[in-house]
Amino acid sequence: MKARVTVTLKSGVLDPQGQAIVGSLTSLGFEGINGVRQGKVFDVNLAETDPDKAKALLNDMCEKLLANTVIENYAVELLD
Amino acid sequence: MKARVTVTLKSGVLDPQGQAIVGSLTSLGFEGINGVRQGKVFDVNLAETDPDKAKALLNDMCEKLLANTVIENYAVELLD
C-alpha cells in the first residue's frame, strides 16, 4: 500500500527557511509573495494492505520519527 | 491566494534520505516498510487573486527556485 505523509510546522512556529525562500524569490524579481512555509512530504510504500492498520502504522511512524510533534503537524493520506 | 507546491524526486533518482529513514524505522521495530522517498512541500501565500495567473507564477517559482527540475518533479495545487 502506498501512502503520503505531509509534515508541516504548526502555525506560530517561526520558519526561517520559509523566510529565506521569500527573500530569494523577491530577489529573483517575484512580487506579491506574502509568505512561504516549508514542510516535508514522505511517500511510504508499505507491505500492509489493510487501510486501518496502515493508517495506525503511519501515525505511529509520525509520532516516533517522521514528525517532531512539539512543533510540527502531520497528515496521513492513503494513495491506493 | 493560498497554494501548496509539492516537490518530489523523479523516479529512478537515488534517495539516500529515504533509505536512511527506512533504516531508522526498522531499528525502531517497524516492519513491512518497502520504501520511503522524501520530498518538500511549500505553502505559499500570494497577493495574486486570479487562479490562472497564480498558477503561472507558482510554476515559474518552481522552475527558477523551488525545484531542481533535473532531478525533481513539482505539483502546484491552489488551496482557495
Side-chain angles (χ1 to χ4, degrees), chain A residues 50-62:
Chain A
D50 175 74
D52 292 336
K53 286 183 187 163
K55 248 190 173 184
L57 192 61
L58 290 159
N59 283 328
D60 200 21
M61 287 184 204
C62 289

Side-chain angles (χ1 to χ4, degrees), chain B residues 44-73:
Chain B
V44 186
N45 193 344
L46 296 173
E48 181 58 64
T49 54
D50 174 75
D52 292 334
K53 286 183 187 161
K55 260 207 160 172
L57 191 61
L58 291 159
N59 284 326
D60 201 20
M61 287 184 206
C62 290
E63 292 287 333
K64 287 187 176 144
L65 183 73
L66 300 180
N68 173 349
T69 52
V70 174
I71 60 167
E72 291 174 328
N73 293 317

Side-chain angles (χ1 to χ4, degrees), chain A residues 1-4 44-46 48-51 54 77-80:
Chain A
M1 174 166 293
K2 288 194 166 61
R4 171 162 286 183
V44 185
N45 191 345
L46 295 173
E48 182 57 64
T49 53
D50 175 74
E77 183 191 352
L78 300 182
L79 299 179
D80 67 4

Side-chain angles (χ1 to χ4, degrees), chain B residues 2-59:
Chain B
K2 286 194 167 63
R4 172 163 285 182
V5 174
T6 305
V7 177
T8 52
L9 286 171
K10 290 182 176 178
S11 61
V13 174
L14 194 66
D15 180 8
Q17 253 176 319
Q19 289 172 353
I21 291 168
V22 172
S24 302
L25 288 170
T26 307
S27 64
L28 284 170
F30 289 99
E31 291 169 2
I33 316 289
N34 294 339
V36 172
R37 288 178 73 76
Q38 181 168 346
K40 295 169 282 191
V41 67
F42 302 97
D43 288 333
V44 186
N45 193 344
L46 296 173
E48 181 58 64
T49 54
D50 174 75
D52 292 334
K53 286 183 187 161
K55 260 207 160 172
L57 191 61
L58 291 159
N59 284 326

